Amino acid sequence: MFYTIDILGTIAFAISGVLVAFSKRMDPFGILIIAFVTAVGGGTLRDVLIGETPVTWMKNMTYVYVILASTIFAVLFRRKLDYLRTSLLLFDTIGIGLYTIVGVEKGLNAELHPIICIALGTMSACFGGVIRDILCNEIPVIFRKEIYATACIIGGLSYFILRKFPLDYNVVFIISGIVVIVIRLLAVRFKISLPSLYNDNETFN
């Protein structure tokens, strides 16, 4: 289940990277690079922080093949992925939901404190998107008012709460990932965001 979730998260993030790259009218090489860094950026940071090197995608070529296949799929069927913003939101949200739990589990395997595990899961989920947005000249979603990293944190907390109950680990994985996805989608649907520290007419020199 752990490996399957990791692969599904890689697919979701790779497709979200392709959609952003297309919106910026990048060439095929640029599209592939954005898909790649989106898919493995957060996981690479996670592995480096816990001292797991070479990082996962370097030791297992399946990840590279999955990213290539996902990129080709998204390019070929981009016209089927109607409403670019909606598609991007969906795949990005699935990606953060899956990668949050993978990051938390990696932290547990490294015998880290639960708080650090949640932070590691949040970084795993968010930093591929951060790199993607920076390369595409966008303000990363995590740095805006949107409920993004907050959803990952709540999902991580849910994971540890659910572990207290006599549930199969696969069920805990799935429910925790769904928590992240549902919170993110509800926040976008009902325009729920974190409070702003700035007034609309406030200016800075």
Side-chain angles (χ1 to χ4, degrees):
M1 177 61 72
F2 178 84
Y3 182 66
T4 301
I5 288 178
D6 204 8
I7 291 295
L8 290 174
T10 301
I11 293 170
F13 269 139
I15 292 175
S16 80
V18 171
L19 295 175
V20 173
F22 257 107
S23 71
K24 296 296 182 178
R25 298 184 177 276
M26 293 187 178
D27 62 20
F29 181 73
I31 291 170
L32 178 60
I33 292 299
I34 297 300
F36 200 89
V37 299
T38 305
V40 302
T44 299
L45 175 63
R46 174 198 67 213
D47 290 350
V48 169
L49 287 175
I50 63 176
E52 187 177 314
T53 54
V55 296
T56 303
W57 63 268
M58 290 183 174
K59 294 184 291 185
N60 187 345
M61 284 298 293
T62 300
Y63 291 91
V64 176
Y65 299 143
V66 165
I67 293 170
L68 288 171
S70 300
T71 301
I72 293 170
F73 170 83
V75 169
L76 293 177
F77 295 97
R78 64 186 184 277
R79 299 192 185 281
K80 298 292 185 182
L81 296 171
D82 291 327
Y83 308 109
L84 207 60
R85 287 185 176 276
T86 303
S87 298
L88 173 59
L89 169 67
L90 178 62
F91 286 109
D92 191 59
T93 300
I94 292 172
I96 66 170
L98 298 175
Y99 261 33
T100 296
I101 309 308
V102 169
V104 169
E105 185 67 20
K106 283 257 187 175
L108 283 173
N109 291 340
E111 300 181 348
L112 300 177
H113 189 279
I115 292 177
I116 304 302
C117 291
I118 294 171
L120 196 65
T122 302
M123 286 187 285
S124 299
C126 297
F127 271 80
V130 169
I131 298 170
R132 174 198 67 205
D133 292 343
I134 290 173
L135 291 177
C136 293
N137 199 30
E138 297 279 351
I139 298 175
V141 178
I142 192 176
F143 299 141
R144 303 178 209 163
K145 295 191 299 179
E146 295 186 31
I147 301 294
Y148 194 81
T150 307
C152 301
I153 293 170
I154 295 173
L157 288 171
S158 300
Y159 180 85
F160 284 101
I161 292 172
L162 290 169
R163 280 171 59 99
K164 302 292 185 182
F165 296 92
L167 297 172
D168 184 83
Y169 272 174
N170 291 339
V171 175
V172 174
F173 261 73
I174 293 169
I175 294 176
S176 302
I178 290 173
V179 167
V180 179
I181 293 169
V182 169
I183 290 175
R184 171 66 176 149
L185 292 178
L186 288 176
V188 173
R189 174 65 179 83
F190 295 103
K191 295 181 171 56
I192 302 170
S193 62
L194 297 175
S196 176
L197 298 177
Y198 310 103
N199 298 322
D200 291 340
N201 54 356
E202 187 174 7
T203 58
F204 297 91
N205 295 323

